[in-house]
Amino acid sequence: MDEIVAEYIRRTVLKIPRDEIKTMLQTWGFLSERQLQTLNFHQTKDNVSQDVAQLCEDNSVDIKQAAVLDIIYNHIYPNKRIWSVYQMNKTGEEMDFFDLTDFKKKFKRRLQSALKNVTINFREYEDNAIWIRIAWGTPYKKPNQYKTSYVVYHSQTPYVFISASVLRSTLPLLCQALVVASNYHDIREMELRSHCLNSLKDIVFKRYSQTFQTYCPRPLQERNVAPESVDLRIIQENRNEKERIQRVNREVFGDGPQPKLEFAQYKLETMFKSNPKMDVLDIKEPFRCLVKFSSPHLLESLKSLAPAGLADAPLSPLLTCIPQKARNYFKIRERKGIFPGSFVSP
Amino acid sequence: GVLSHLETLEARAHELALKQEETEQQEEKLARLKARVQELRLQRDELRAKVDLQQKRLLGKEGVMTSGVPDAAQPSDRAVLEWKIKTVQAMLQVFYLTGISGKLTKRGVCFCISTAYEGTYLDSYYVDLIIKPAVQIHRHSVPVFIPLEQLAKKYLQTDIKRFLSVLSDHLNAYVGRRYQADQLQEHFSDHLEGTLQRNSLCNVLAFNYNVSGKKETFLFSAKLLYGDLCRSLPTEAIISCTPDAPASLSEKTAAHSDVFRRVALHKAFNSFSSAEES
């Protein structure tokens, strides 16, 4: 058993960039400062990881402690996983005090009553985020530590961020446990997915910069204004148009940095409108088509389209409504508009 | 020979320095007086413009505008306009400072709720409403743990004033609680063991503290519950002592609980310290 745990630790350490290994082990706190001094962090990562694993094995580490190291790694590097956002719903107005111990107890009890072989770890962070790590097993096999799901929940908000593992079948169980533990009634998956967890939080918690019409505007931050060329022979031909584009862009996107999304997907089920003489499609059926925009930073690239002259300002509301509607997966049907996802109770 | 020559040069340099200082001071004085003259001239122009406007009004519609050099009319119009703009801006600033201000938009109104706690202005939150087909919230920047949808369902259709006032109470109370918790962590960290535990709404706070502020054992542990979300003082303050604490201290828990319920958090600690000293 020790060897399996040690091997798990070794593989976790291998994922960490070499310069970060020492700090992360210190945060973990399982190995004392004195023991950390005995390790040589300047060797190859392979050797470092083996030394760490050996040291942990000598100190009889157990799986729960090893899981804490995994949580710490995933908290610092959350962008290696894809996160989906789920929204919980409750009827009634009870504003109950959120009790952390109660939440943890209920969650564990619910999950373990359905499936005995799970490893569950909790870790709380300063920004009121509760991180939950679950390693799944089956009724007959021990939990597989390499197939983990992560849940991030901020108390008193209806949103949960889940990074499911490959085992999608465990998702309903997880959702049910969350609903019960946090005193909500049901939960549904929002059409919002990304690698960048903080950006997802920014979108649903409305922490990104929005512009509102007001008489007392907040003072604008220093913008890098390119110095106007003093040479009077140079005239900006389209100055008015450029200023209009800047103004419209700022109204739509705001002044601050945009949340980071990697893609937006539009599933079109609309009729193909063609020249009747061309007669491409005889059948009067919706032309099914999928349009996917991908980018390292989708919203920033959309923001720079109009100023770069690649698109007209204002952009199509289908693109600009992404942060406000908190979704990046859309289904577009004929004339009826955009359909939201439906509520599913476990 | 050489030394006396050096002496005379030194003396001359000293004299020149003194003279230079004098001229500099004179120039400064001159600049100040010039600026003052400008100020007074500007004031005079403004007052003249006001007088002109008064006179024009008194003349009424009949009659030709008495001479008036056309030039005199120009600066007076402009000065009056500037004065009007300043007054309007001041008025809008006053509305903003009262806590709820708004601006009509194409489709409705955008309200700005600016929050404050005991004289410190804190964050502003916006609610953008559209009026047709029914009054609804188009966009907002209210944090997600404030029960905005519930308040909207209750009050928005029937009584917008009440909706805004209740929302403003919630937001002000939230920022007040958050401010107190931040102040406590910042200024009284030596009274606290570690960091204080709080939740998103800042309506449950738990911490261990001592009264003296030195790094001895932390004898009291407190759990503050803020049952009323529109208030920034706790409804319940559960104070307990470690079991091996001396009896004199365990008597104080009731007193402490009372203080926490009546006084703002950071001020409560001030009163503890002064009580210790006395």
Side-chain angles (χ1 to χ4, degrees):
Chain A
M1 168 55 172
D2 268 346
E3 295 157 358
I4 303 179
V5 179
E7 174 65 13
Y8 179 69
I9 294 180
R10 190 187 75 84
R11 293 210 197 173
T12 313
V13 172
L14 263 182
K15 288 194 282 190
I16 309 174
R18 195 163 63 160
D19 308 329
E20 305 285 319
I21 297 181
K22 184 161 186 199
T23 19
M24 229 179 269
L25 290 176
Q26 282 168 332
T27 318
W28 185 32
F30 174 74
L31 296 170
S32 69
E33 195 57 40
R34 200 177 36 85
Q35 288 167 319
L36 287 176
Q37 303 281 7
T38 63
L39 292 168
N40 175 9
F41 293 101
H42 298 292
Q43 333 170 53
T44 59
K45 268 212 313 196
D46 238 0
N47 292 344
V48 175
S49 62
Q50 282 188 347
D51 287 349
V52 172
Q54 187 60 49
L55 204 52
C56 291
E57 199 177 342
D58 296 341
N59 283 290
S60 355
V61 66
D62 69 21
I63 192 60
K64 277 240 162 180
Q65 288 156 322
V68 173
L69 183 62
D70 191 38
I71 296 192
I72 295 175
Y73 170 74
N74 276 290
H75 173 75
I76 300 184
Y77 297 102
N79 301 346
K80 304 254 183 215
R81 304 176 78 107
I82 287 208
W83 298 87
S84 310
V85 188
Y86 287 73
Q87 184 177 16
M88 297 192 282
N89 208 21
K90 75 163 130 191
T91 54
E93 287 187 24
E94 335 87 53
M95 182 56 66
D96 38 358
F97 294 114
F98 178 76
D99 191 338
L100 185 60
T101 12
D102 194 47
F103 172 81
K104 291 202 267 198
K105 202 166 53 155
K106 280 192 185 161
F107 182 81
K108 267 182 133 148
R109 199 165 39 168
R110 193 60 194 237
L111 209 54
Q112 283 172 335
S113 69
L115 185 63
K116 276 231 169 356
N117 284 326
V118 279
T119 321
I120 306 177
N121 283 72
F122 297 91
R123 197 168 164 90
E124 298 87 51
Y125 286 92
E126 283 258 310
D127 56 349
N128 297 315
I130 305 168
W131 278 64
I132 314 177
R133 173 190 183 276
I134 305 124
W136 304 96
T138 70
Y140 308 106
K141 285 201 286 188
K142 281 205 175 298
N144 183 346
Q145 299 300 329
Y146 299 93
K147 298 225 162 96
T148 48
S149 301
Y150 273 88
V151 176
V152 178
Y153 176 57
H154 284 250
S155 60
Q156 295 168 318
T157 65
Y159 298 106
V160 190
F161 305 89
I162 302 185
S163 170
S165 62
V166 273
L167 297 170
R168 299 279 298 181
S169 53
T170 54
L171 214 48
L173 195 56
L174 181 57
C175 291
Q176 192 186 47
L178 279 167
V179 166
V180 165
S182 53
N183 291 322
Y184 279 83
H185 287 182
D186 53 38
I187 183 170
R188 71 171 179 118
E189 183 172 1
M190 295 173 69
E191 304 285 340
L192 183 62
R193 268 159 236 137
S194 173
H195 278 284
C196 181
L197 179 61
N198 283 332
S199 291
L200 291 176
K201 287 189 194 182
D202 285 345
I203 291 178
V204 292
F205 294 158
K206 303 228 183 278
R207 301 194 297 214
Y208 61 98
S209 67
Q210 304 181 68
T211 35
F212 290 96
Q213 298 197 37
T214 163
Y215 284 119
C216 296
R218 294 254 137 267
L220 294 171
Q221 288 110 353
E222 306 280 324
R223 280 176 285 141
N224 300 355
V225 183
E228 301 263 344
S229 56
V230 191
D231 192 344
L232 293 170
R233 293 174 296 179
I234 302 178
I235 306 173
Q236 289 268 21
E237 279 298 321
N238 298 341
R239 189 197 295 264
N240 282 346
E241 181 60 14
K242 281 210 174 122
E243 279 174 11
R244 184 193 75 92
I245 291 179
Q246 290 285 9
R247 193 174 34 89
V248 167
N249 228 28
R250 199 180 315 139
E251 269 171 38
V252 171
F253 287 100
D255 267 326
Q258 300 293 310
K260 190 167 181 205
L261 295 173
E262 294 95 38
F263 40 81
Q265 186 172 298
Y266 299 84
K267 198 164 179 188
L268 301 174
E269 287 172 9
T270 49
M271 305 296 283
F272 186 76
K273 292 185 175 63
S274 71
N275 188 338
K277 290 203 196 112
M278 279 176 65
D279 244 352
V280 173
L281 278 185
D282 286 332
I283 329 157
K284 287 292 169 202
E285 246 186 31
F287 187 74
R288 292 169 209 280
C289 155
L290 188 74
V291 179
K292 185 168 175 177
F293 293 87
S294 37
S295 158
H297 198 320
L298 184 70
L299 292 175
E300 279 292 338
S301 54
L302 289 177
K303 182 175 174 180
S304 51
L305 276 180
L310 292 166
D312 288 330
L315 289 176
S316 157
L318 283 173
L319 292 170
T320 55
C321 69
I322 292 175
Q324 193 205 326
K325 287 208 152 68
R327 57 188 302 165
N328 56 356
Y329 284 76
F330 297 87
K331 265 207 189 90
I332 305 177
R333 299 207 185 137
E334 196 67 51
R335 247 189 285 127
K336 285 189 200 151
I338 304 167
F339 276 48
S342 50
F343 266 85
V344 174
S345 309
Chain B
V2 175
L3 284 174
S4 60
H5 198 60
L6 203 60
E7 263 180 74
T8 44
L9 284 174
E10 257 183 74
R12 214 185 293 173
H14 185 65
E15 266 177 62
L16 286 173
L18 281 174
K19 261 199 210 147
Q20 199 180 8
E21 248 194 84
E22 247 180 71
T23 40
E24 272 177 4
Q25 276 177 349
Q26 294 250 3
E27 279 175 356
E28 255 182 77
K29 199 168 172 194
L30 193 60
R32 258 184 289 134
L33 288 171
K34 275 193 186 161
R36 181 84 182 121
V37 166
Q38 286 280 58
E39 258 181 76
L40 288 169
R41 276 197 188 140
L42 202 62
Q43 259 188 318
R44 179 200 64 186
D45 284 347
E46 280 182 356
L47 288 168
R48 264 195 197 158
K50 274 198 208 171
V51 168
D52 277 355
L53 193 64
Q54 290 273 32
Q55 280 182 340
K56 282 196 188 134
R57 279 214 208 111
L58 285 172
L59 282 174
K61 290 212 177 113
E62 46 118 306
V64 187
M65 286 286 188
T66 46
S67 75
V69 186
D71 283 350
Q74 290 283 37
S76 78
D77 274 348
R78 187 190 162 79
V80 167
L81 194 61
E82 283 176 0
W83 176 79
K84 275 190 183 170
I85 290 179
K86 266 200 218 149
T87 329
V88 171
Q89 277 179 340
M91 189 68 84
L92 290 170
Q93 180 77 358
V94 167
F95 276 125
Y96 171 73
L97 290 173
T98 56
I100 304 186
S101 55
K103 179 173 186 211
L104 290 175
T105 61
K106 264 183 283 189
R107 293 166 69 186
V109 192
C110 181
F111 285 105
C112 168
I113 299 183
S114 30
T115 56
Y117 180 72
E118 292 197 350
T120 315
Y121 274 88
L122 298 164
D123 301 327
S124 295
Y125 300 98
Y126 296 89
V127 180
D128 197 352
L129 298 175
I130 50 180
I131 303 202
K132 298 193 192 27
V135 182
Q136 36 182 298
I137 301 179
H138 177 50
R139 297 188 304 153
H140 66 88
S141 69
V142 174
V144 72
F145 35 79
I146 304 276
L148 183 64
E149 287 88 33
Q150 285 171 3
L151 292 176
K153 228 190 302 181
K154 243 184 172 176
Y155 300 116
L156 193 58
Q157 302 298 329
T158 47
D159 191 349
I160 292 191
K161 267 198 212 168
R162 186 117 178 257
F163 167 72
L164 286 172
S165 137
V166 174
L167 181 61
S168 169
D169 287 342
H170 270 91
L171 287 169
N172 272 291
Y174 158 66
V175 297
R177 295 193 294 266
R178 191 184 63 185
Y179 180 76
Q180 289 175 59
D182 289 341
Q183 288 291 303
L184 183 64
Q185 277 195 271
E186 223 181 281
H187 296 293
F188 293 96
S189 49
D190 41 1
H191 287 265
L192 292 177
E193 180 181 14
T195 51
L196 119 123
Q197 273 184 36
R198 46 165 132 174
N199 57 8
S200 312
L201 256 179
C202 289
N203 68 342
V204 176
L205 296 178
F207 51 93
N208 296 334
Y209 67 101
N210 69 16
V211 181
S212 60
K214 303 187 200 69
K215 289 269 184 206
E216 32 181 76
T217 40
F218 296 89
L219 304 168
F220 296 99
S221 102
K223 187 162 179 188
L224 302 177
L225 298 170
Y226 297 76
D228 186 355
L229 287 181
C230 292
R231 288 183 58 217
S232 55
L233 285 176
T235 46
E236 256 186 83
I238 306 170
I239 315 284
S240 56
C241 248
T242 54
D244 51 343
S248 56
L249 284 171
S250 22
E251 284 160 3
K252 288 197 184 161
T253 55
H256 283 194
S257 172
D258 186 56
V259 171
F260 279 127
R261 267 179 291 132
R262 279 184 303 111
V263 173
L265 199 53
H266 47 301
K267 298 214 178 117
F269 274 86
N270 266 331
S271 76
F272 290 154
S273 323
S274 59
E276 277 294 302
E277 280 158 30
S278 63

